[in-house]
Amino acid sequence: MFQPEIRNLCPAFSRRPVSPVYALDCLVEVKECDVIIIGCGLSGMTAAYEMLKLDPNIKLCLLEAKDRIGGRTLTNEINIGGGQREKFDLGGQWVASSQPDILEMLEELNIKTYPQFINGTKIMQVGHGNVIRTYKSDIPSLGSYWGIIELQLFIWKAEKLAKEISIEDPYSWDKAQEYDAMTMETFVRNNARSQSVRDTIQAACRSVIGADLDRVSALFFLAYANSAGGVMKLLMATENGAQELRVKGGTQQISEILADRVGRENVQLNQPVSAIYQDHTEFVTVHTLTGKIFRARHVITSIPPNCVTRIQFSPPLSEDRKLLMDNMPVGHLTKFIITYDKTYWRENGFSGEIVSNGGGPLLTCSTGPISVVYDATTDKNVPALVGFIAGRPGVEWHRQTTEERRSSILACLSEFFGSSALQPTSFTEKVWADEEYNGGCPVCFGVPGVMFTFKALRRPHGRIHWCGTETSTHWAGYLSGAVQSGRRAACEVMKLNGKNVTQLEKLVSRKPSADVDPLYSFPSLLTPIVVFLAVVTAFFAVYFF
Ligand SMILES: Cc1cc2nc3c(=O)[nH]c(=O)nc-3n(C[C@H](O)[C@H](O)[C@H](O)COP(=O)(O)OP(=O)(O)OC[C@H]3O[C@@H](n4cnc5c(N)ncnc54)[C@H](O)[C@@H]3O)c2cc1C
């Protein structure tokens, strides 16, 4: 093993200002490799895998704070009653045909997908009075034609603006300052008057980002949507939409298989990185809370922005990156999976899809717990529903007990689907706010006023390179974004090592496809309304003239 001159790392022997944490490490053996990868979620594992493909001899050290691989992917076996168990995703779950990076990875690892079930009547609970409405077509039930028109106009406007914004540098947009000075709440209020439309967009923002509209920079949201190819892509479960496909066997296996390929001996679990030190040599030194020290020529970190602030850097991060990291909080999602002995909602003609403003106050919370629900029946036909307590309701419901959340969710579901909802075979929840080294999910988002620093997200800090889904330029925030960012970071480092990365760079530089789902392109959503108005006009014309 490489034995560096350990004395140089110790504050006692160095004139450099270093944190006290180094003092603990003076007599510790230092492990050396070519590249250290921090974080064994999908982006970190992808970076390692792609580097090894480019150079099978490269020596990698992968450091993960948790006792498991996978980060924001987590596939657990749930006891579904009758002595049976089934795998469910408690973290990231859906992929889409419009997400080439993750689809290529799945194909390479021979992991199959299957379509999200969407057939049947859907349910909406939005607007004043929290009225529950159903609809069969793709047109959401908002209680009035005006609501539908207003939602359509809002979507068109948001889509048009989003297309003008580059995720690489949102601040280069000529209206950037104006839109970064406002929250999404203001943007929605300026463009939608009806409560049902505002509630719909609120539910969408809660489930997509895990935060309410009033916390999110309008500029960030539009840039984020553009990285996926448009606002509607984030919301849909139809072709190309974010909720289109599910992964057989769950998504955590992607990182597990990558760990096998990278070599388990290179992966060190339970190693929370506490400090990263770049000295005058060509090495970067990484310290963990367990007192271990690692050295390499390059570091790739996949630590999510909200956790980066816990690491000590020497030299310190640039001011723009620091400001950004301090102002990219993570969303709040509690995910629940409920299994049943039959798909009673399908039998009653429901698809299982619910979009809700939460309904009226419940227990000590200002709304009920449900934001969004989908059918989660597995490819092995285990009947299940999946849902989220998201954004502010997520924060409020966090103070209730699991039993209170369980009984309230079941009670709400019974209002939508009838009393069969009260008879589950299992209830499982994952409160991501309690997950150490993530502290929330699904993604870190930008608050107003800091987007002028957003370019710093991908900019290397000396020999430290950044990946992680937040740094992606294609489906940022998603599994596909995690893969794309891992590939990009691998390119950056391997290029510096003189490797030919042309092929990989081509994949990384792909732009999101600009195709708009025909449903939301004129005139299809408005067609029934236009036809209705034409018939009424014709009727009056014939009647009066
Ligand atoms: C409930 C939920 C639902 C989601 N739904 C979807 C979905 O349906 N479709 C989709 O595409 N995406 C979804 N996502 C998002 C998706 O899971 C993430 O985009 C993706 O997994 C992020 O991967 P990553 O590698 O960028 O980050 P992470 O998975 O967070 O990996 C970062 C790793 O860094 C580690 N780490 C942090 N600090 C340290 C430290 N100091 N030292 C060492 N290691 C550290 C963490 O433990 C973690 O393992 C969802 C996420 C959640 C949680």
Side-chain angles (χ1 to χ4, degrees):
M1 176 177 291
F2 176 82
Q3 291 290 343
E5 203 184 340
I6 291 172
R7 281 160 42 116
N8 287 346
L9 299 170
C10 302
F13 298 97
S14 164
R15 284 196 208 111
R16 284 173 183 274
V18 291
S19 80
V21 80
Y22 297 113
L24 300 172
D25 304 321
C26 294
L27 300 172
V28 176
E29 187 182 318
V30 176
K31 180 161 170 55
E32 149 131 329
C33 46
D34 296 316
V35 185
I36 297 167
I37 294 141
I38 307 174
C40 293
L42 184 52
S43 62
M45 293 310 306
T46 301
Y49 176 61
E50 296 292 354
M51 281 191 288
L52 267 175
K53 280 203 296 186
L54 287 161
D55 178 2
N57 296 321
I58 195 166
K59 272 179 75 186
L60 302 176
C61 291
L62 289 88
L63 306 178
E64 168 56 50
K66 299 181 199 191
D67 60 2
R68 64 172 182 85
I69 287 165
R72 279 171 270 180
T73 59
L74 176 63
T75 311
N76 277 4
E77 277 207 345
I78 290 177
N79 188 343
I80 56 169
Q84 306 230 321
R85 299 178 74 78
E86 173 67 306
K87 285 182 179 168
F88 284 94
D89 276 318
L90 297 174
Q93 131 173 14
W94 288 285
V95 298
S97 320
S98 55
Q99 300 177 334
D101 293 283
I102 186 71
L103 290 191
E104 284 157 8
M105 181 63 87
L106 292 174
E107 197 178 330
E108 214 166 317
L109 305 185
N110 199 21
I111 301 173
K112 306 284 180 233
T113 60
Y114 60 107
Q116 167 66 34
F117 181 82
I118 50 168
N119 303 331
T121 303
K122 296 164 208 148
I123 294 174
M124 279 202 109
Q125 182 181 35
V126 291
H128 291 300
N130 308 312
V131 181
I132 298 173
R133 298 188 182 87
T134 59
Y135 60 107
K136 283 204 165 93
S137 66
D138 289 316
I139 302 169
S141 181
L142 297 173
S144 71
Y145 279 127
W146 173 240
I148 296 172
I149 293 170
E150 207 178 37
L151 179 62
Q152 177 68 71
L153 293 174
F154 175 84
I155 290 169
W156 277 338
K157 176 153 189 188
E159 296 284 23
K160 183 176 170 297
L161 292 175
K163 281 192 173 45
E164 294 172 15
I165 305 170
S166 133
I167 182 79
E168 277 93 350
D169 182 14
Y171 224 71
S172 60
W173 187 41
D174 56 354
K175 300 189 191 99
Q177 202 172 350
E178 180 192 344
Y179 278 80
D180 192 34
M182 70 171 96
T183 62
M184 272 302 284
E185 172 80 14
T186 308
F187 179 59
V188 173
R189 280 186 183 278
N190 289 346
N191 291 285
R193 296 174 62 137
S194 76
Q195 191 57 43
S196 54
V197 174
R198 291 179 185 172
D199 281 1
T200 306
I201 303 165
Q202 179 72 282
C205 186
R206 283 177 177 166
S207 52
V208 167
I209 290 190
D212 279 33
L213 294 164
D214 57 6
R215 294 188 67 202
V216 183
S217 156
L219 179 63
F220 172 84
F221 187 90
L222 294 169
Y224 186 78
N226 196 23
S227 85
V231 178
M232 285 314 300
K233 289 251 182 73
L234 303 176
L235 310 180
M236 294 182 319
T238 48
E239 196 181 349
N240 289 327
Q243 285 71 237
E244 179 191 352
L245 300 168
R246 295 177 53 199
V247 175
K248 280 191 185 179
T251 56
Q252 192 181 0
Q253 64 176 316
I254 310 170
S255 298
E256 293 285 355
I257 297 174
L258 291 177
D260 290 338
R261 301 227 174 152
V262 165
R264 296 268 170 181
E265 66 283 4
N266 300 317
V267 178
Q268 304 217 20
L269 301 178
N270 299 305
Q271 295 299 333
V273 167
S274 53
I276 307 178
Y277 174 50
Q278 300 182 69
D279 61 17
H280 55 288
T281 70
E282 56 190 298
F283 289 102
V284 188
T285 312
V286 172
H287 296 243
T288 70
L289 280 179
T290 57
K292 290 196 179 179
I293 304 178
F294 300 81
R295 286 218 311 176
R297 285 191 169 75
H298 300 280
V299 167
I300 293 178
T301 164
S302 70
I303 299 175
N306 65 315
C307 299
V308 168
T309 49
R310 292 160 63 175
I311 311 291
Q312 286 183 313
F313 290 89
S314 178
L317 297 176
S318 64
E319 279 309 302
D320 49 358
R321 178 176 288 279
K322 260 197 279 181
L323 185 66
L324 191 58
M325 299 293 103
D326 285 341
N327 287 281
M328 283 194 74
V330 66
H332 201 301
L333 277 189
T334 291
K335 184 169 181 176
F336 56 84
I337 305 277
I338 310 173
T339 61
Y340 291 92
D341 54 14
K342 58 180 180 180
T343 49
Y344 62 87
W345 58 94
R346 289 190 192 179
E347 286 159 23
N348 296 326
F350 291 105
S351 68
E353 194 176 321
I354 300 168
V355 175
S356 172
N357 59 9
L362 201 54
L363 301 181
T364 59
C365 303
S366 57
T367 69
I370 291 177
S371 298
V372 175
V373 171
Y374 284 98
D375 186 306
T377 304
T378 65
D379 57 316
K380 292 178 192 147
N381 278 325
V382 175
L385 294 171
V386 56
F388 301 99
I389 317 178
R392 192 165 305 165
V395 176
E396 291 184 0
W397 280 90
H398 188 260
R399 60 179 177 247
Q400 311 294 337
T401 62
T402 297
E403 185 42 43
E404 283 165 338
R405 283 191 291 272
R406 176 187 182 277
S407 55
S408 300
I409 288 168
L410 294 181
C412 290
L413 285 176
S414 72
E415 282 183 44
F416 299 120
F417 293 140
S419 58
S420 305
L422 298 170
Q423 310 295 330
T425 52
S426 74
F427 175 92
T428 307
E429 65 168 13
K430 173 74 185 167
V431 184
W432 278 89
D434 295 342
E435 172 86 359
E436 227 194 328
Y437 300 107
N438 279 113
C441 78
V443 66
C444 298
F445 59 92
V447 302
V450 292
M451 290 297 285
F452 70 96
T453 62
F454 202 69
K455 237 166 74 171
L457 201 54
R458 283 170 290 279
R459 192 194 306 140
H461 176 58
R463 293 172 171 273
I464 304 171
H465 299 258
W466 307 84
C467 69
T469 191
E470 284 83 0
T471 72
S472 173
T473 52
H474 198 172
W475 281 99
Y478 287 79
L479 296 166
S480 202
V483 172
Q484 193 240 19
S485 73
R487 287 174 159 181
R488 179 199 29 82
C491 279
E492 284 173 14
V493 170
M494 296 312 275
K495 212 171 177 176
L496 289 172
N497 284 329
K499 299 288 170 200
N500 181 350
V501 296
T502 318
Q503 288 302 324
L504 196 54
E505 258 180 344
K506 259 191 206 154
L507 301 184
V508 168
S509 60
R510 279 177 298 202
K511 299 283 175 223
S513 65
D515 56 305
V516 178
D517 187 88
L519 169 66
Y520 290 91
S521 60
F522 187 82
S524 45
L525 181 55
L526 288 184
T527 298
I529 298 164
V530 172
V531 170
F532 173 77
L533 292 176
V535 169
V536 171
T537 311
F539 173 78
F540 279 104
V542 169
Y543 190 80
F544 289 111
F545 303 106

